[in-house]
């Protein structure tokens, strides 16, 4: 049996108003872009490491914040495999008998959400254990304490080395393994199984609304009154959609509206299909981040063009 210390890095959407996030954000909040792991044998010796970049399938452009934190740049991901292939490589590397250990409890929830989103079949995470919790319980004597990995390193006098910069998945996995090696009775971690949390997007802001329409297809929904006379998400005033709806992809149509008091509003009709195959159309209204008159004018011209092409 092996102990596998794992760390992930993930990308986030550039904006919560982006078409991808509005369409898929409740199914996938983060795209995993790196899996790093270190393998220990039962004698606690390092016997291997794994480092895999992953091409993000949904949030393709790296958020500057992620680059700042992880040092990963877009170039690093060029030519990297998609999630499914990276997962196959990781599973093969893990082998048959192992215990998965992470520092903290976020990684496995993000991992599970990527599994659900990118794989056709149901696949559950293998049991995973939280070393941060064990360390916190031992040093602070309670469950709530969530010390950082660097604190734990300090505690054990583990010196960071230039070879292993922080916040790259494989290096954080390496330091987690170091901490694991230094702990007394580290296998006690196996008494601290993690449970996957459901990730849900942060509550929408006051400038956004979302409601269900009584339609199961977009063709009907775009012609309906709630679509053609949407409400301003701020003041609820009924608005017009001068150009009408244009498809952004096969499950999402967008129209522009203007509130006299609040400015440009994006109206999205999104077809959602639940896991059991039920279909429903959601109407989402959000105030545009950009409101300068030139931008708004250009946007309307663009929509008029798209609509004209559509009806040709
Ligand atoms: Zn308004």
């Amino acid at each position: 049996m092996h102990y596998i210390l794992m760390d992930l890095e993930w990308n986030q959407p550039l904006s919560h108003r982006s078409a991808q996030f509005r369409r898929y954000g409740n199914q996938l909040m983060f795209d995993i872009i790196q899996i790093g792991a270190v393998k220990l044998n039962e004698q606690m010796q390092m016997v291997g490491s794994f480092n895999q970049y992953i091409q993000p399938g949904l949030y393709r452009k790296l958020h500057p914040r992620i680059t700042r934190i992880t040092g990963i740049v877009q170039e690093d991901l060029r030519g990297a495999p998609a999630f499914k292939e990276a997962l196959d490589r990781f599973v093969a590397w893990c082998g048959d008998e192992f215990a998965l250990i992470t520092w903290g409890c976020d990684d496995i929830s993000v991992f599970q959400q990527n599994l659900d989103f990118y794989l056709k079949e149901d696949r559950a995470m293998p049991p995973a254990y939280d070393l941060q919790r064990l360390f916190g319980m031992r040093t602070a004597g309670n469950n709530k304490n969530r010390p950082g990995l660097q604190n734990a390193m300090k505690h054990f006098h583990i010196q960071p080395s230039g070879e292993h910069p922080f916040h790259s998945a494989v290096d954080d996995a390496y330091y987690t393994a170091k901490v694991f090696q230094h702990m007394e009775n580290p296998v006690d971690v196996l008494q601290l199984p993690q449970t996957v949390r459901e990730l849900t997007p942060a509550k929408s802001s006051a400038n956004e609304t979302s409601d269900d329409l009584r339609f199961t297809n977009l063709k009907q929904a775009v012609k309906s009154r709630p679509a053609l006379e949407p409400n301003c998400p701020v003041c609820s005033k009924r608005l017009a959609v001068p150009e009408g709806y244009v498809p952004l992809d096969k499950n999402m149509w967008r129209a522009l509206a203007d509130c006299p008091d609040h400015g440009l509003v994006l109206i999205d009709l999104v077809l959602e299909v639940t896991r059991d195959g039920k279909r429903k159309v959601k109407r989402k209204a959000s105030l545009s981040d950009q409101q300068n008159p030139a931008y708004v004018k250009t946007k309307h011209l663009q929509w008029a063009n798209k609509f004209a092409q559509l009806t040709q």
Side-chain angles (χ1 to χ4, degrees):
M1 150 117 146
H2 286 116
Y3 300 103
I4 291 178
L5 292 299
M6 180 188 78
D7 188 59
L8 306 174
E9 306 299 342
W10 51 77
N11 192 27
Q12 65 184 77
L14 283 178
S15 155
H16 284 190
R17 307 252 157 112
S18 69
Q20 295 95 320
F21 186 79
R22 283 161 66 81
R23 168 82 182 85
Y24 295 107
N26 55 355
Q27 295 168 61
L28 189 75
M29 283 187 73
F30 307 106
D31 250 322
I32 295 176
I33 52 173
Q34 189 186 20
I35 301 175
V38 166
K39 194 186 270 181
L40 303 186
N41 62 17
E42 287 186 12
Q43 290 72 47
M44 297 292 150
Q45 293 158 325
M46 288 192 195
V47 293
S49 73
F50 180 88
N51 182 21
Q52 179 69 65
Y53 286 124
I54 300 170
Q55 196 74 245
L58 185 60
Y59 307 122
R60 300 212 170 125
K61 273 210 143 160
L62 275 183
H63 195 289
R65 180 175 164 269
I66 300 300
T67 295
R68 202 165 62 235
I69 296 174
T70 65
I72 299 173
V73 295
Q74 203 77 43
E75 186 68 23
D76 293 326
L77 306 179
R78 189 160 299 167
F83 178 76
K84 191 176 178 314
E85 191 189 329
L87 176 75
D88 289 345
R89 290 184 193 178
F90 183 54
V91 168
W93 177 83
C94 283
D96 289 332
E97 272 190 69
F98 63 90
L100 198 60
I101 298 166
T102 61
W103 190 264
C105 56
D106 295 327
D107 293 64
I108 65 155
S109 300
V110 174
F111 208 138
Q112 183 68 58
Q113 210 185 30
N114 277 252
L115 290 175
D116 291 341
F117 191 75
Y118 285 116
L119 303 189
K120 296 224 157 42
E121 76 280 9
D122 280 334
R123 175 129 39 138
M125 287 292 295
Y129 307 90
D130 184 356
L131 191 63
Q132 185 189 45
R133 204 167 139 220
L134 181 64
F135 180 81
M137 282 165 67
R138 292 227 178 125
T139 52
N142 69 61
N143 251 333
K144 305 237 162 56
N145 190 38
R146 288 270 174 202
L149 181 56
Q150 299 193 35
N151 290 344
M153 289 169 61
K154 240 180 238 157
H155 180 87
F156 292 118
H157 307 287
I158 300 165
Q159 296 294 328
S161 78
E163 251 176 274
H164 295 283
F166 281 110
H167 298 306
S168 164
V170 67
D171 297 313
D172 280 9
Y174 169 82
Y175 288 123
T176 307
K178 282 277 183 196
V179 168
F180 190 61
Q181 287 176 321
H182 277 75
M183 280 173 101
E184 207 174 306
N185 300 321
V187 296
D188 287 354
V189 75
L190 302 184
Q191 288 155 26
L192 300 172
Q194 300 186 51
T195 43
V196 171
R197 283 175 301 123
E198 196 168 331
L199 301 173
T200 41
K203 280 228 173 346
S204 24
S205 76
N207 295 337
E208 289 179 32
T209 55
S210 170
D211 45 313
D212 292 341
L213 303 187
R214 280 169 219 255
F215 295 97
T216 54
N217 75 70
L218 284 167
K219 283 233 161 81
Q220 283 177 355
V222 293
K223 288 183 232 150
S224 69
R225 189 158 171 230
L228 298 174
E229 296 180 5
N231 304 91
C232 170
V234 186
C235 65
S236 300
K237 186 172 286 172
R238 190 162 285 168
L239 310 175
V241 289
E243 299 88 13
Y245 285 82
V246 170
L248 295 189
D249 66 43
K250 75 181 192 333
N251 293 320
M252 178 169 172
W253 292 55
R254 174 173 284 181
L256 309 177
D258 298 286
C259 173
D261 297 320
H262 299 102
L264 181 64
V265 173
L266 310 174
I267 312 292
D268 290 335
L269 300 183
V270 179
L271 179 67
E272 293 192 347
V273 183
T274 59
R275 287 206 127 200
D276 50 357
K278 288 208 180 86
R279 300 153 70 87
K280 66 174 179 205
V281 175
K282 269 194 156 36
R283 180 184 68 173
K284 302 184 181 187
S286 72
L287 196 62
S288 170
D289 289 330
Q290 303 199 53
Q291 293 292 353
N292 81 69
Y295 174 86
V296 173
K297 198 176 159 195
T298 309
K299 209 75 194 156
H300 275 294
L301 281 173
Q302 195 189 358
W303 241 248
N305 276 332
K306 285 182 189 236
F307 193 76
Q309 279 169 15
L310 202 66
T311 49
Q312 257 172 21

